[in-house]
């Protein structure tokens, strides 16, 4: 395998995934929607593109030209704290366009090319909140539920090929996500979070091993499992306690 593509690579989990690829000697294309993608210090082709738009996704595919992607890391994502009805519709649409459509617009063509040549590994960053009716971050949680489900289905559909897809489902991780989503005044912003380097390593290793899912950390695994069996109303209430901003 020679070429790795990492989205959301200017910071956090994405940057750590890109560093792992560089350490392993892969050619590297990194993508983010901010100028910081050009100053990561990595020996990589940097593409500044907004994956919330068809044009941004097309720019990434154009940057690849005729090269085949061997390792595909679809990590870009965004969130927004607040109740659904208090959020403005353009902000809601941006979450869906980035997390869902932005992922699909790259995953679909690149995974097809992998299957056609019968080789490749894919890692999509979902979340344990995809298991939860996430009160006060409902759109983000719903978008991650889509990704969690999509990856599980595609993993089954691609059985019999040498292409695998892994869903990385972390819990709260020490990244700029909370700042960007306006979550600085929420209880979840104050708790101890996972190291993005550790999360990236867990996802990277799981992807290379062809695992369908990876949730790093025993506590995160327990939270995800509990969310699947507890009543939805109870889980939503617990989510509100963590994500509702303090007044």
């Amino acid at each position: 395998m020679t070429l790795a593509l990492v989205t959301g690579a200017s910071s956090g989990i994405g940057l750590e995934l890109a560093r792992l690829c560089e350490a392993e000697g892969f050619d590297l294309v990194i993508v983010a929607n901010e100028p910081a993608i050009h100053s990561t210090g990595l020996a990589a082709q940097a593409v500044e593109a907004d994956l919330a738009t068809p044009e941004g996704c097309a720019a990434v595919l154009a940057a690849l030209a005729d090269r085949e992607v061997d390792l595909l890391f679809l990590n870009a994502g965004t969130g927004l704290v607040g109740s659904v009805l208090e959020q403005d519709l353009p902000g809601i649409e941006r979450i869906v366009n980035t997390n869902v459509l932005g992922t699909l617009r790259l995953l679909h063509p690149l995974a097809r090319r992998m299957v056609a040549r019968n080789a490749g590994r894919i890692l999509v960053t979902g979340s344990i909140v995809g298991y939860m009716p996430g009160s006060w971050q409902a759109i983000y949680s719903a978008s991650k539920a889509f990704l969690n489900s999509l990856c599980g289905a595609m993993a089954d559909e691609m059985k019999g090929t040498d292409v695998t897809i892994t869903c990385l489902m972390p819990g709260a991780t020490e990244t700029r996500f909370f700042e960007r989503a306006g979550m600085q005044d929420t209880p979840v912003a104050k708790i101890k979070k996972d190291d993005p380097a550790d999360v990236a390593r867990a996802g990277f290793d799981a992807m290379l091993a062809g695992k369908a899912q990876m949730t790093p950390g025993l506590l995160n695994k327990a939270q995800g499992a509990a969310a699947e069996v507890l009543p939805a109303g109870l889980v939503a209430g617990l989510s509100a306690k963590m994500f509702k901003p303090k007044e």
Side-chain angles (χ1 to χ4, degrees):
M1 295 190 177
T2 57
L3 180 62
L5 170 66
V6 186
T7 69
S10 58
S11 63
I13 296 170
L15 178 57
E16 296 300 335
L17 287 168
R19 286 172 174 163
L20 289 171
C21 291
E22 182 183 57
E24 294 293 329
F26 296 110
D27 292 334
L28 187 58
V29 177
I30 55 176
V31 182
N33 65 348
E34 59 181 357
I37 195 62
H38 300 289
S39 55
T40 61
L42 296 171
Q45 177 184 355
V47 180
E48 185 178 345
D50 185 357
L51 300 185
T53 67
E55 296 79 13
C57 295
V60 175
L61 295 174
L64 294 172
D66 294 327
R67 292 175 294 171
E68 296 292 355
V69 175
D70 300 294
L71 301 181
L72 175 59
F73 300 87
L74 296 173
N75 171 75
T78 188
L80 184 65
V81 72
S83 71
V84 173
L85 297 184
E86 291 176 354
Q87 293 170 346
D88 61 80
L89 191 57
I92 289 173
E93 290 176 345
R94 180 163 186 81
I95 297 172
V96 175
N97 288 337
T98 302
N99 299 4
V100 175
L101 292 178
T103 299
L104 277 173
R105 287 179 180 130
L106 296 180
L107 174 61
H108 190 265
L110 296 177
R112 272 188 164 185
R113 287 162 62 173
M114 286 180 175
V115 170
R117 68 179 192 277
N118 202 33
R121 293 287 184 270
I122 304 166
L123 182 74
V124 175
T125 302
S127 174
I128 62 168
V129 301
Y131 292 124
M132 308 170 186
S135 179
W136 291 86
Q137 55 156 5
I139 305 302
Y140 176 78
S141 294
S143 73
K144 292 300 183 176
F146 178 93
L147 296 180
N148 292 358
S149 178
L150 175 70
C151 290
M154 288 185 64
D156 183 73
E157 290 173 356
M158 293 190 298
K159 284 181 178 177
T161 75
D162 286 333
V163 180
T164 63
I165 184 168
T166 302
C167 189
L168 175 60
M169 297 178 289
T173 306
E174 194 63 58
T175 71
R176 293 176 57 200
F177 172 82
F178 297 91
E179 172 192 346
R180 291 168 171 169
M183 292 185 180
Q184 300 97 317
D185 295 329
T186 62
V188 72
K190 313 300 182 184
I191 66 173
K192 180 176 173 57
K193 302 176 187 63
D194 294 331
D195 186 328
D198 294 338
V199 173
R201 170 53 74 179
F204 189 87
D205 291 345
M207 179 201 65
L208 291 184
K211 295 181 179 179
Q213 296 179 332
M214 167 52 66
T215 298
L218 291 176
L219 179 59
N220 293 328
K221 287 181 173 69
Q223 289 176 330
E228 290 192 285
V229 298
L230 292 174
L234 175 59
V235 176
L238 293 172
S239 176
K241 291 181 182 296
M242 293 301 295
F243 291 97
K244 186 176 182 180
K246 294 181 178 180
E247 297 178 355

